[in-house]
């Protein structure tokens, strides 16, 4: 199961493209999350993951995740963000259901994004 929530000060639209996915332990799985910045300003965000039940976390391995890096979206920008993962074959048989949840935080004040126009000006000057 996949869940996505915004921290209290985050205004982005943020959700997974499906609520659930049946997985085969040992196989590579993927889910796409969507983020959209509906504001008129560039913003930076960081997603923080959690796994439940807690005992399953040791058996859940992300090989690619948007949570590994900060996300910068320009005004009105929408992106697809994949998470690729493997559920270990040694997952206890008693665990039948996992939930991967993300909370998205606005980190714009701590990590101001660069607007596209400014980046293009710098690149064009080279």
């Amino acid at each position: 199961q996949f869940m996505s929530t915004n921290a209290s000060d985050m205004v982005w639209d943020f959700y997974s493209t499906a609520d659930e996915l049946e997985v085969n332990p040992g196989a590579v799985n993927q889910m796409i999350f969507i983020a959209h910045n509906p504001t008129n300003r560039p913003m930076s965000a960081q997603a923080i993951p959690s796994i439940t039940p807690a005992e399953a976390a040791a058996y859940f391995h992300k090989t690619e995740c948007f949570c590994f890096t900060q996300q910068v979206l320009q005004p009105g920008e929408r992106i697809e963000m994949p998470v690729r993962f493997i559920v270990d074959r040694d997952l206890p048989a008693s665990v039948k259901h996992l939930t991967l949840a993300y909370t998205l935080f606005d980190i714009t004040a701590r990590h101001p994004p660069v607007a596209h126009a400014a980046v293009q000006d710098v690149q064009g000057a080279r």
Side-chain angles (χ1 to χ4, degrees):
Q1 181 178 24
F2 302 93
M3 298 181 70
S4 53
T5 58
N6 286 350
S8 60
D9 62 343
M10 176 49 86
V11 297
W12 288 8
D13 301 316
F14 175 54
Y15 55 92
S16 59
T17 56
D19 293 333
E20 294 184 345
L21 179 65
E22 189 169 325
V23 301
N24 294 313
V28 176
N29 302 278
Q30 176 175 289
M31 179 55 61
I32 301 293
F33 282 76
I34 305 296
H36 171 248
N37 175 1
T39 72
N40 62 358
R41 63 188 170 92
M43 291 181 67
S44 300
Q46 180 71 53
I48 304 298
S50 65
I51 304 282
T52 55
E55 72 259 20
Y59 302 94
F60 190 91
H61 311 286
K62 291 185 292 294
T63 60
E64 179 182 334
C65 185
F66 56 92
C67 64
F68 295 160
T69 59
Q70 298 166 359
Q71 304 300 316
V72 175
L73 269 69
Q74 299 302 313
E77 187 176 8
R78 176 189 179 277
I79 60 170
E80 293 185 357
M81 306 180 299
V83 58
R84 289 190 182 93
F85 60 93
I86 299 168
V87 177
D88 197 301
R89 293 179 199 273
D90 295 330
L91 179 73
S94 61
V95 178
K96 303 288 184 197
H97 189 90
L98 295 170
T99 300
L100 174 58
Y102 288 99
T103 302
L104 193 65
F105 291 87
D106 178 0
I107 60 168
T108 304
R110 287 179 284 161
H111 299 277
V114 176
H116 277 313
V119 171
Q120 290 169 350
D121 290 345
V122 171
Q123 290 173 345
R126 289 185 192 171

